[in-house]
Amino acid sequence: MKKKKKITLSNKNMPKNEYDARIIKRMYVTNPSLQYLVFVPLILIVLAYSFFVAKISYWNFLLGFSGSIIFWPIFEYSTHRYFFHANPKNKWLRKVLDSAHWAHHEYPKDNRIMLINPLVSLPAAIVVYVLSYFLIGQYAHPFIAGVMAIYLLYDWFHFASHNKNYKNWWFQLMKHHHMKHHYQNPTKNYGFTSTIWDKILATEIEIKNKEKKEVSVSSADK
């Protein structure tokens, strides 16, 4: 199997000539607000459709929404570990992975390669919606509303973890978890919003007692 090139870390932005050669055009956006402008109205539309058109009961809505909470940690862990860190032979797929993830590992502070364009994430959400509808019927409406809401949380956290240092305990825990993935061992700590599957599948980097205190890894207080 073809080897991935050795990852070298840089706290600078990717040089323009390298960016133009490696990054697929329109894969990313640089305005964090764009995700909310696209997905918040969609979430509201799905919620309205669920209650006023599909006539879903509050109980069934809660069941469908709860499914998204169970689904997301599995989805983010499995795609991060088994897709974005895969080592395929296909040149086109390697190009996609390099643009979508490997480059971010080399330039973790480059905000130009951090926020996926809704032109990419929205079609992915539609695919999940359609598949879930065939599998669980009307529960797919609250399910996809939950998936999109959690996606916004994930997107905010990932961007903030590389740029901010909020004092919130969950933020500090998950930021520490994610920064260890970047700066200590990229074959560990695959979870973004939860550590549960890293614990279950033994891919979590051990946290020492002194590290359980407030941490700020690789970024200044903001």
Side-chain angles (χ1 to χ4, degrees):
M1 180 176 287
K2 187 176 181 180
K3 293 183 179 180
K4 286 192 290 186
K5 67 178 183 179
K6 185 178 180 180
I7 293 177
T8 56
L9 286 169
S10 172
N11 284 326
K12 298 180 180 180
N13 284 350
M14 183 185 294
K16 185 180 184 305
N17 61 331
E18 185 180 353
Y19 182 94
D20 292 340
R22 294 179 63 181
I23 305 303
I24 297 173
K25 291 183 179 180
R26 292 182 289 278
M27 175 169 276
Y28 295 98
V29 294
T30 55
N31 185 352
S33 301
L34 187 58
Q35 312 286 11
Y36 301 94
L37 293 175
V38 172
F39 281 98
V40 170
L42 286 175
I43 293 170
L44 295 176
I45 290 171
V46 173
L47 291 178
Y49 182 86
S50 298
F51 290 118
F52 301 114
V53 179
K55 305 292 184 180
I56 295 177
S57 68
Y58 288 108
W59 174 246
N60 286 345
F61 181 89
L62 182 61
L63 285 176
F65 193 89
S66 297
S68 68
I69 298 175
I70 296 171
F71 165 81
W72 184 266
I74 300 172
F75 175 77
E76 75 171 15
Y77 179 93
S78 58
T79 53
H80 190 192
R81 180 177 181 178
Y82 299 111
F83 179 69
F84 289 115
H85 282 271
N87 188 25
K89 293 181 180 180
N90 182 273
K91 290 183 178 181
W92 179 83
L93 187 52
R94 293 182 71 84
K95 168 72 174 179
V96 170
L97 292 177
D98 183 52
S99 181
H101 198 69
W102 300 349
H104 172 57
H105 267 274
E106 293 181 44
Y107 298 92
K109 285 186 171 293
D110 193 338
N111 288 340
R112 298 172 302 166
I113 50 176
M114 207 170 293
L115 298 170
I116 294 293
N117 194 323
L119 293 174
V120 176
S121 54
L122 182 56
I126 292 172
V127 170
V128 172
Y129 194 9
V130 171
L131 290 176
S132 62
Y133 186 81
F134 279 110
L135 291 173
I136 57 177
Q138 68 173 2
Y139 292 101
H141 307 319
F143 174 79
I144 197 62
V147 167
M148 290 190 292
I150 299 171
Y151 171 72
L152 288 181
L153 173 65
Y154 148 78
D155 206 54
W156 167 82
F157 164 73
H158 187 223
F159 185 82
S161 69
H162 287 273
N163 290 277
K164 303 291 183 181
N165 192 37
Y166 301 114
K167 303 301 182 182
N168 175 271
W169 70 268
W170 173 82
F171 181 86
Q172 286 292 325
L173 173 67
M174 294 311 304
K175 174 176 179 174
H176 196 191
H177 186 79
H178 184 56
M179 291 300 109
K180 278 176 170 285
H181 172 73
H182 272 284
Y183 292 95
Q184 189 168 327
N185 189 344
T187 66
K188 300 284 186 178
N189 286 22
Y190 293 104
F192 284 104
T193 58
S194 169
T195 64
I196 185 169
W197 286 101
D198 281 304
K199 295 180 186 298
I200 291 172
L201 297 178
T203 55
E204 182 178 33
I205 298 172
E206 182 181 357
I207 299 177
K208 298 177 182 178
N209 288 334
K210 65 179 181 179
E211 294 176 333
K212 292 181 180 180
K213 298 178 180 180
E214 184 184 57
V215 294
S216 174
V217 182
S218 77
S219 68
D221 289 354
K222 291 187 179 184

